[in-house]
């Protein structure tokens, strides 16, 4: 049984139909990427899974259980963490405080336990350890992205939803970030990734899907997508990548 299943999912913003009956699955232990142009519905897909955007038709199953009518905070407790585009860290809190907030959805935990888990995050993101007492606003874009991912991991998710993690980052930071995504999967967390850098996303993914104006048009392994003329022309040609939804 897949960890995540979407069956004929429709979502809308007012009268605008953002998703038009998409079906996909993510197996436990996979990294799966969603590719598509600006406005294709990639971010809406993640928001629908995490309960932030209402599903008007169809079904989303997580670990075999339907997510319909479950509040976002309860979806987090089920084991889904969503790291949104734009990072959205708390600028007036320290790095350590930002990370600790990620554990709040798990109920009241002993402070010693939470601080021990923060140390685990520092092992994954060594740069954050030396910045532990720095305020969020003082971090670079790459450091903020690492902090946002660390905060998400503090909820102990089975599934991590990553929305445009490389957006606005320097190439060397992007390389480091995607090496970290591989290591997160190696620690047992499944990843569903929305990413504007199609080449980089496919370099870490097990499978991928292509969204076009709310419809899934192509799916396959990275090798299959890299060899697909439509995908190459739209997302890989000339080193230019599609922008986020």
């Amino acid at each position: 049984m897949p960890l995540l299943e979407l069956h004929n999912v429709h979502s809308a913003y007012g009268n605008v139909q953002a998703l038009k009956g998409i079906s996909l699955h993510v197996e436990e232990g996979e990294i799966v990427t969603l590719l598509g142009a600006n406005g294709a519905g990639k971010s809406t897909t993640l928001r629908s899974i995490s309960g932030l955007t209402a599903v008007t038709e169809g079904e989303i199953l997580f670990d075999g259980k339907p997510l319909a009518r479950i509040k976002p905070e309860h979806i987090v407790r089920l084991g889904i963490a969503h790291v949104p585009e734009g990072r959205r860290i708390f600028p007036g809190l320290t790095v350590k405080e930002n990370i600790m907030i990620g554990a709040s959805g798990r109920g009241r935990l002993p402070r010693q336990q939470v601080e021990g888990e923060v140390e685990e995050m520092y092992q994954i993101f060594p740069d954050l350890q030396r910045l532990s007492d720095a305020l969020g606003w003082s971090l670079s874009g790459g450091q903020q992205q690492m902090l946002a991912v660390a905060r998400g991991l503090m909820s102990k998710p089975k599934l991590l939803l990553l929305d445009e993690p490389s957006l606005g980052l320097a190439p060397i930071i992007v390389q480091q970030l995607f090496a970290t995504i591989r290591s997160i999967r190696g620690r047992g967390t499944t990843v569903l990734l929305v990413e504007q850098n199609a080449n980089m996303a496919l370099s870490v993914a097990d499978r991928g899907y292509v969204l076009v104006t709310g419809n899934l048009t192509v799916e396959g392994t990275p090798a299959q997508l890299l060899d697909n003329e439509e995908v190459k022309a739209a997302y890989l040609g000339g080193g230019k990548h599609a922008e986020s939804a």
Side-chain angles (χ1 to χ4, degrees):
M1 180 179 65
L3 180 64
L4 177 73
E5 299 172 83
L6 276 66
H7 299 292
N8 191 36
V9 169
H10 296 246
S11 293
Y13 299 105
N15 294 325
V16 178
Q17 195 73 16
L19 299 180
K20 303 172 183 176
I22 71 168
S23 298
L24 60 82
H25 69 279
V26 179
E27 301 289 339
E28 188 170 359
E30 281 191 310
I31 298 176
V32 174
T33 187
L34 288 176
L35 307 177
N38 184 41
K42 307 185 302 300
S43 295
T44 302
T45 301
L46 299 192
R47 289 177 58 85
S48 298
I49 295 166
S50 60
L52 298 173
T53 297
V55 172
T56 56
E57 185 179 339
E59 185 176 45
I60 300 176
L61 302 176
F62 179 66
D63 233 356
K65 301 172 184 176
L67 297 182
R69 293 178 294 279
I70 297 179
K71 294 180 179 179
E73 58 268 29
H74 294 153
I75 289 176
V76 172
R77 292 173 190 166
L78 290 176
I80 298 177
H82 185 173
V83 180
E85 181 182 347
R87 295 126 198 180
R88 300 183 190 177
I89 65 168
F90 296 97
L93 299 182
T94 67
V95 165
K96 184 176 181 179
E97 289 167 341
N98 267 280
I99 296 174
M100 293 178 73
I101 283 175
S104 60
R106 294 159 52 201
R108 292 183 63 85
L109 299 171
R111 185 176 179 87
Q112 186 176 7
Q113 177 184 339
V114 176
E115 290 189 344
E117 292 175 1
V118 171
E119 292 300 320
E120 292 178 16
M121 293 301 104
Y122 289 155
Q123 292 176 20
I124 301 173
F125 303 97
D127 281 357
L128 296 182
Q129 185 165 27
R130 64 179 178 81
L131 296 166
S132 180
D133 296 325
L135 294 178
W137 65 263
S138 68
L139 273 56
S140 68
Q143 291 163 348
Q144 288 185 18
Q145 185 62 67
M146 293 175 188
L147 179 55
V149 175
R151 184 180 60 191
L153 290 174
M154 284 292 285
S155 68
K156 300 293 186 183
K158 296 179 182 177
L159 175 64
L160 182 66
L161 307 177
L162 289 176
D163 195 352
E164 301 288 9
S166 79
L167 192 65
L169 302 184
I172 189 169
I173 303 300
V174 172
Q175 293 283 348
Q176 294 171 2
L177 178 62
F178 275 82
T180 301
I181 292 172
R182 287 194 191 96
S183 74
I184 289 169
R185 190 262 293 277
R187 295 167 67 94
T189 302
T190 303
V191 178
L192 179 57
L193 168 69
V194 162
E195 177 52 53
Q196 64 165 346
N197 188 330
N199 275 306
M200 187 60 72
L202 292 172
S203 75
V204 300
D206 298 291
R207 293 185 300 109
Y209 294 89
V210 177
L211 268 170
V212 177
T213 58
N215 296 285
L216 284 176
T217 60
V218 184
E219 64 177 282
T221 65
Q224 290 169 333
L225 294 178
L226 288 167
D227 195 46
N228 183 292
E229 292 301 324
E230 179 184 346
V231 173
K232 285 195 289 187
Y235 309 111
L236 305 173
K240 296 180 181 178
H241 309 294
E243 294 182 354
S244 63

